[in-house]
Amino acid sequence: MNLTLLILLPLLTAVVILLMRSGVQVKWSALIGASAQFILALILFFAFRKERALGNEAQMLFELQYKWFPSWHISFHLGVDGISVAMILLTAFVVIAGVLVSWNVEKMTKEFYLLLILLSLGAYGFFISLDLFILFFFLEIAVIPKYLLIGIWGSGKKEYAANKLALMLMGGSALVLVGLLGLYFGGSENTFDLLLLSKIQIPVIVQKICFPLLFVGFGVFTALFPFHTWVPDGHSSAPTAGSMFLAGISMKLGGYGCLRVATYLMPEGAKEYANLIIVLSAIAILYGAFATMMQKDLKYINAYSSVSHCGFVLLGVGMLTKTAIAGAVMQMVSHGLMTALFFAVIGMIYERTHTREVNEMGGLIKVMPFITTVLFIVGLCSLGLPGLSGFVAEMTVFMGSWQNPDPFHRVATIAACMSIVVTAVYILRAIGQTAMGPMNERYLSLQDARWNEKLAAIILIVGIIAIGIAPFWLNDLVTPAADIIMQKIAGK
Amino acid sequence: MLNDFLLLMKAELALAFILFLVLILKVGKEITNERLLALIQLLLLGNFIFGFFFIESGSLFGGMFTTNGLIAFQKSIISLGIYLISLLFSDWLKKSELLPEFFILLLSAVLGMFFLISSGNLLMFYLSVELATIPVAAMANFDLDKKISSEASMKMILSSALSSGVLLFGISLIYGATGTISFDQIPALLDGNGLQILAFVFLFTAFAFKLSIVPFHLWTADVYEGSPIAVTSFLSVISKGAITFILLTTLYKVFAPMHDLWYNMVMLLSVITMVVGNLFALRQQNIKRFLAFSSIAQVGFILLGISSHSMEGTSSVVYFVLIYVFSNLAAFGVAGAISQAAGKERIEDYKGLYQTNPLISWVLALSLFSLAGIPPTAGFFGKLFLITAGASKGNYFFITVAALNMIISLYYYLRIVSAVFMDTNHQPIPKINLDHSTKLGMIICGAGIILIGLLSWVYDYITALSF
């Protein structure tokens, strides 16, 4: 299949949205566009499996290469491996759910959906690019839609949050840019091509300088401690779909970049700094979990728990074993689905109760059975209940981490494991206070979920359960790609 | 001979033809401002298109005047810029009592710039710098009833006079050190002795004045604020573009043997200019002053590209100037339209603009994103290539500082975006009825901002010319 479709389809959707006149037309064209993306992502997934089943062992499938700025040795080079396919699936799930959830956005509907679709365009482009220049291009394309989504449709300290997010992500991009230039000029060949760069020798000194730049740069996107501070503010101020996209897709750009660009291209650098990464991500995991305990606002709870959960992604990368890296990718997919669903549910509750304070809620299960059931599912997934995606992903990361026999890695793994207890505490407390207990009188008249909200929730739940009870399809997708990365790290 | 003369100087001749036509129309029978402006716009469009035909390379007058494909393209960029200015500020121009005079002055200055870009000799260089500067000083005073406008004009004349003096001193030192003023002969005679370095420093100082490189930037903000917006945009886009082009020739051709000496200087000035321009832009309240300081920061990026001393440097700088013409003129065009319709030039007055004027707001946002270097706008590609060219020398400390400067600049560009899109205002700027040419100008700018980056053949074309 032709990968440019993944870029052209959102672009076409955006143009159609621009031409539409009424809000209803805009919504439906956005939904049709998002559904087409969803179908396209599924087609890609099955086409990819078919190619692999036929014995196509190439590292990247469906490769395409067009000329673009040839004088800088840049080309529009696209291709996917298992990791990219997993991320594209995740993006498609979150996009369609996000479009459905925002069905009753009344303020500047056209602009809202336009920005959502542009955000998805950036994500797809990022995950399929094999040229670091266009990868960077798509990484930055997504910054402005996020900024405007939070700033215009957000709530609370929205302008502060929007500014903080845009500037911190731009700072991350600036570091990435310098790192990329180091790769471009540092190797034996001036090129931005990912596959070419993976084959040529990059001097160890260049790796030692550029690896931290790239890792921290991408790490800002995925809440690397101590650059996670935009996460709580950004997520809690964003509109529902904005939070879903931010946590579900945008944070994954960083994790993917850390893995694909920083670690894969510069194994010597990765080995040099692996212990530091492990320490930082263990801090993020524990700190995020304990910080969540103190939160009263549902969105802040999920935002801080995202810091904790994304810590597992970087922990997996830092462990440098095949299983841990596969686990990191699975954690990205799992957390993306789970956190998008969590934010969607919080949005639904907030729209009805007009509060996100846990203390002010109670007994909601009586009036909103569907929504609270979803809340239970997502909460249990977050605390790692077997049968749901969170367990599979975190378990894989832990197993991969344990493969390192020395005490340092063992201690870090155990420390990270302990966060699960804390997670259980805050999740159960939050859900319990929201759903159970005595009900507030004024919530008696509230309505349960509408069709669009139900559909969005079901789509995401299907993803979560599919990974939870049948993890092998995701594992089979991701592990061969993780193996290639590991082989490069092991120097084979 | 005559044939050569006609062909090689065709850009200058075409411009002089328009200039005299406007002059004749001025002294001839009465003609309304609307019709005269429409005619001038048409002529300038014709001039721009004409720039792409009959491109020859060669030199005239014993090497005083040279031209080639790249120089012709640089002149086309300037022609495009003045065409856009005539479109974007048509509202203001129509109401001006001195419309013909404005264009006579503007076209003389542009004629000076054309000769400046083509100059192959320090004498020619000096003369054309003067021709390119003095009419602009008169233009800066075009809001005749505003005191601040005369002040701007005065400041500009004084600082230009100073820089001319410095320039002349530098030229005389070069003549003393090498015995020639021809661009072709100087490089062979340079050996980097003290006198030559001194001469170079003086010469570069003159450039620094014109380009408002820190620490020679102090005149910029006052002049930009005082001048009418059309003149400010001309100063900050067209003048700077022309000076950048000749700086490229001077550094890459004439002073190429002293590259090791000027590399550090240019790199350092580039970073200082960026940082100072950015820091001052942070706190500006007036949109013109704001754009003045942001354009200082942009010059810092241009210097970064220039410092690479390579073909990539040439092409990325020319490419960036092309993008800069679109992005900055769009921003000035919006500021001009608002100032003309509502008389407001403060950033806080822009609050809630999107509610009343969506088209203008999007054009403004696009131009600011392009200036900040955010994809998919062309500014992203322009800035990235400048930084990449600069990085080819491996000076990563400065490259990192430059990259971090993009964050500061994003902060202040976003300040305007957030005022326009996010803030509410009880008395927003009322709906502005743009006339057709202003609208056309904004659409051209918007299209340019999006397309020039994505269509990579524009850059390839410039690269092909640079080699």
Side-chain angles (χ1 to χ4, degrees):
Chain A
M1 83 169 262
N2 192 331
L3 287 177
T4 39
L5 283 178
L6 277 172
I7 298 170
L8 291 178
L9 191 64
L11 206 60
L12 183 73
T13 317
V15 172
V16 171
I17 288 176
L18 260 185
L19 297 176
M20 290 296 143
R21 291 189 175 275
S22 73
V24 180
Q25 287 172 339
V26 168
K27 283 174 197 168
W28 279 104
S29 35
L31 182 59
I32 293 169
S35 318
Q37 288 178 17
F38 189 69
I39 295 167
L40 198 63
L42 287 178
I43 293 175
L44 174 69
F45 171 61
F46 288 113
F48 184 87
R49 281 175 62 106
K50 198 175 147 200
E51 283 286 315
R52 283 283 190 244
L54 289 174
N56 188 344
E57 290 300 319
Q59 187 187 353
M60 295 289 168
L61 294 187
F62 311 118
E63 264 188 76
L64 279 174
Q65 198 158 10
Y66 300 109
K67 271 192 178 166
W68 212 42
F69 297 106
S71 39
W72 287 111
H73 313 288
I74 294 166
S75 63
F76 206 80
H77 191 180
L78 307 177
V80 288
D81 66 355
I83 299 178
S84 332
V85 173
M87 303 314 287
I88 287 164
L89 274 178
L90 164 70
T91 310
F93 269 87
V94 176
V95 169
I96 192 167
V99 167
L100 279 169
V101 162
S102 348
W103 207 250
N104 36 3
V105 167
E106 296 298 333
K107 181 182 173 188
M108 299 201 260
T109 319
K110 187 192 257 188
E111 288 84 348
F112 184 83
Y113 278 99
L114 192 65
L115 293 173
L116 280 190
I117 296 294
L118 285 179
L119 201 52
S120 73
L121 169 76
Y124 287 124
F126 183 85
F127 291 133
I128 59 177
S129 37
L130 290 184
D131 186 288
L132 298 181
F133 181 85
I134 56 171
L135 183 121
F136 184 67
F137 173 78
F138 284 116
L139 179 73
E140 287 223 331
I141 261 191
V143 172
I144 290 305
K146 286 178 226 166
Y147 172 75
L148 291 175
L149 276 175
I150 296 177
I152 299 178
W153 292 273
S155 56
K157 300 180 293 176
K158 55 180 186 171
E159 280 182 38
Y160 167 76
N163 258 323
K164 190 169 177 178
L165 171 132
L167 294 174
M168 285 193 72
L169 295 190
M170 191 69 183
S173 308
L175 294 181
V176 169
L177 172 61
V178 179
L180 292 185
L181 290 177
L183 279 179
Y184 183 80
F185 290 111
S188 53
E189 201 168 335
N190 287 359
T191 178
F192 280 121
D193 196 281
L194 189 94
L195 296 181
L196 214 56
L197 277 171
S198 74
K199 291 190 185 82
I200 63 173
Q201 274 298 319
I202 298 167
V204 175
I205 178 75
V206 175
Q207 297 197 19
K208 282 184 181 167
I209 295 170
C210 290
F211 181 82
L213 287 171
L214 279 168
F215 200 91
V216 172
F218 282 119
V220 174
F221 282 79
T222 191
L224 170 72
F225 185 85
F227 303 102
H228 64 282
T229 51
W230 64 271
V231 176
D233 290 314
H235 288 68
S236 56
S237 302
T240 302
S243 311
M244 290 168 68
F245 276 48
L246 264 180
I249 305 173
S250 174
M251 285 176 80
K252 307 302 171 283
L253 301 183
Y256 181 86
C258 283
L259 186 60
R260 170 80 83 214
V261 182
T263 311
Y264 177 51
L265 292 182
M266 292 178 287
E268 292 305 319
K271 283 177 202 159
E272 177 83 15
Y273 294 98
N275 289 357
L276 186 63
I277 296 169
I278 290 170
V279 170
L280 287 180
S281 44
I283 293 176
I285 291 169
L286 287 174
Y287 164 80
F290 279 109
T292 319
M293 294 244 293
M294 303 304 295
Q295 304 303 320
K296 303 271 183 288
D297 180 311
L298 275 176
K299 267 199 164 179
Y300 270 101
I301 289 178
N302 195 24
Y304 272 107
S305 83
S306 285
V307 174
S308 173
H309 283 121
C310 280
F312 286 112
V313 176
L314 295 179
L315 185 77
V317 174
M319 287 294 173
L320 297 181
T321 65
K322 185 172 104 180
T323 320
I325 286 177
V329 177
M330 289 164 83
Q331 171 72 357
M332 280 200 266
V333 179
S334 151
H335 176 254
L337 293 171
M338 178 188 85
T339 199
L341 183 58
F342 211 148
F343 276 121
V345 176
I346 295 169
M348 293 173 205
I349 295 176
Y350 175 68
E351 202 190 306
R352 290 169 173 78
T353 60
H354 300 290
T355 177
R356 297 192 312 236
E357 295 292 318
V358 176
N359 298 339
E360 295 176 23
M361 298 182 203
L364 292 183
I365 197 162
K366 288 172 199 144
V367 285
M368 304 190 276
F370 183 85
I371 292 177
T372 38
T373 312
V374 176
L375 187 65
F376 272 115
I377 295 176
V378 75
L380 294 177
C381 177
S382 178
L383 62 78
L385 188 80
L388 297 170
S389 66
F391 170 76
V392 173
E394 282 170 18
M395 198 63 201
T396 318
V397 172
F398 291 142
M399 284 182 14
S401 307
W402 204 253
Q403 286 170 358
N404 289 308
D406 57 305
F408 171 76
H409 287 89
R410 291 273 155 99
V411 170
T413 313
I414 293 168
C417 280
M418 298 215 300
S419 77
I420 291 184
V421 184
V422 187
T423 310
V425 172
Y426 65 72
I427 287 287
L428 291 176
R429 200 166 63 187
I431 298 178
Q433 283 192 5
T434 314
M436 315 288 203
M439 191 177 52
N440 198 323
E441 290 287 311
R442 62 197 163 116
Y443 296 144
L444 265 175
S445 58
L446 297 182
Q447 302 285 316
D448 204 2
R450 284 179 295 273
W451 67 270
N452 54 316
E453 294 166 335
K454 280 185 183 161
L455 191 57
I458 288 168
I459 289 173
L460 290 173
I461 290 174
V462 165
I464 289 174
I465 294 182
I467 299 174
I469 55 179
F472 47 83
W473 64 267
L474 186 61
N475 198 25
D476 292 351
L477 200 62
V478 169
T479 308
D483 196 32
I484 290 177
I485 294 177
M486 261 328 286
Q487 277 174 10
K488 165 106 172 144
I489 292 171
K492 281 173 199 162
Chain B
M1 176 62 203
L2 182 67
N3 222 351
D4 277 357
F5 177 75
L6 285 179
L7 265 179
L8 293 177
M9 285 187 54
K10 53 119 193 167
E12 289 75 13
L13 290 173
L15 208 63
F17 169 74
I18 300 174
L19 176 58
F20 282 106
L21 197 67
V22 177
L23 192 62
I24 291 166
L25 287 173
K26 157 78 183 160
V27 294
K29 69 178 169 105
E30 286 294 312
I31 179 165
T32 59
N33 264 357
E34 273 92 10
R35 294 184 58 185
L36 183 58
L37 184 62
L39 179 68
I40 291 173
Q41 285 168 351
L42 211 62
L43 285 169
L44 289 179
L45 176 63
N47 178 44
F48 167 62
I49 295 169
F50 181 60
F52 288 98
F53 294 97
F54 313 115
I55 297 171
E56 299 270 331
S57 39
S59 62
L60 284 173
F61 316 125
M64 270 211 166
F65 180 95
T66 59
T67 184
N68 58 35
L70 185 65
I71 288 176
F73 186 74
Q74 292 170 343
K75 287 176 185 169
S76 295
I77 294 178
I78 290 178
S79 306
L80 174 71
I82 51 173
Y83 171 59
L84 286 175
I85 286 181
S86 76
L87 286 179
L88 286 168
F89 302 100
S90 61
D91 239 1
W92 179 76
L93 289 168
K94 266 184 216 162
K95 295 199 177 99
S96 167
E97 289 167 20
L98 301 168
L99 176 72
E101 282 85 349
F102 180 83
F103 274 103
I104 290 167
L105 289 171
L106 180 115
L107 291 171
S108 334
V110 173
L111 194 59
M113 287 166 194
F114 278 17
F115 280 115
L116 180 67
I117 299 173
S118 276
S119 54
N121 182 305
L122 284 171
L123 183 63
M124 181 74 164
F125 171 67
Y126 174 71
L127 290 175
S128 43
V129 164
E130 293 299 294
L131 180 56
T133 311
I134 294 171
V136 183
M139 279 156 69
N141 195 12
F142 238 66
D143 274 343
L144 290 173
D145 47 350
K146 280 188 192 155
K147 221 168 148 188
I148 192 171
S149 192
S150 331
E151 186 192 324
S153 171
M154 203 63 208
K155 275 184 178 154
M156 176 142 185
I157 288 180
L158 287 177
S159 68
S160 308
L162 181 64
S163 77
S164 295
V166 173
L167 178 62
L168 275 177
F169 190 53
I171 291 175
S172 65
L173 284 180
I174 286 179
Y175 185 67
T178 62
T180 177
I181 49 171
S182 158
F183 281 7
D184 292 332
Q185 291 164 9
I186 293 173
L189 298 165
L190 288 179
D191 53 13
N193 68 32
L195 188 59
Q196 289 170 0
I197 295 174
L198 196 64
F200 173 74
V201 169
F202 275 106
L203 206 62
F204 192 85
T205 307
F207 276 113
F209 260 110
K210 302 279 176 203
L211 278 175
S212 48
I213 294 167
V214 177
F216 305 101
H217 65 290
L218 293 165
W219 60 276
T220 319
D222 289 339
V223 172
Y224 280 22
E225 189 186 3
S227 314
I229 293 189
V231 181
T232 311
S233 68
F234 180 79
L235 264 173
S236 103
V237 180
I238 316 287
S239 287
K240 279 198 177 155
I243 303 278
T244 307
F245 294 147
I246 188 66
L247 179 63
L248 266 180
T249 319
T250 321
L251 289 182
Y252 283 21
K253 221 172 106 187
V254 183
F255 288 98
M258 288 164 69
H259 168 247
D260 293 339
L261 288 170
W262 61 253
Y263 168 71
N264 288 325
M265 185 171 123
V266 171
M267 197 71 179
L268 196 65
L269 283 177
S270 142
V271 171
I272 295 175
T273 306
M274 255 180 243
V275 173
V276 172
N278 274 336
L279 291 183
F280 275 94
L282 281 178
R283 296 191 62 81
Q284 299 306 321
Q285 296 302 327
N286 180 295
I287 186 94
K288 285 197 295 190
R289 279 186 90 86
F290 168 82
L291 287 171
F293 280 109
S294 90
S295 79
I296 292 177
Q298 304 283 352
V299 169
F301 278 98
I302 292 179
L303 284 182
L304 188 64
I306 290 180
S307 75
S308 75
H309 189 47
S310 59
M311 287 306 161
E312 284 80 19
T314 312
S315 47
S316 60
V317 167
V318 174
Y319 183 60
F320 185 79
V321 171
L322 173 65
I323 292 162
Y324 185 66
V325 165
F326 283 110
S327 349
N328 221 10
L329 280 184
F332 274 116
V334 171
I338 290 170
S339 157
Q340 180 67 21
K344 291 178 174 170
E345 289 183 359
R346 290 173 66 78
I347 291 172
E348 61 188 47
D349 297 327
Y350 282 42
K351 284 182 181 172
L353 183 69
Y354 185 66
Q355 302 303 330
T356 47
N357 297 290
L359 172 73
I360 293 187
S361 305
W362 279 119
V363 172
L364 183 63
L366 265 184
S367 69
L368 294 175
F369 289 151
S370 181
L371 289 171
I374 304 278
T377 60
F380 169 78
F381 298 93
K383 247 182 200 167
L384 217 62
F385 294 158
L386 283 181
I387 293 180
T388 313
S392 62
K393 290 271 176 271
N395 207 335
Y396 287 103
F397 172 71
F398 286 128
I399 298 299
T400 313
V401 176
L404 293 177
N405 259 290
M406 288 175 77
I407 311 171
I408 309 179
S409 64
L410 182 69
Y411 172 76
Y412 59 72
Y413 290 123
L414 286 183
R415 203 157 66 96
I416 298 185
V417 174
S418 83
V420 169
F421 284 90
M422 297 171 195
D423 290 342
T424 48
N425 193 346
H426 297 301
Q427 290 169 308
I429 291 162
K431 174 115 187 79
I432 298 171
N433 287 317
L434 298 172
D435 67 0
H436 291 303
S437 28
T438 313
K439 226 179 230 169
L440 177 66
M442 284 185 183
I443 290 169
I444 294 177
C445 287
I449 289 171
I450 292 177
L451 292 179
I452 297 229
L454 297 176
L455 301 175
S456 72
W457 56 263
V458 178
Y459 184 77
D460 296 338
Y461 178 68
I462 297 174
T463 315
L465 290 175
S466 319
F467 278 94

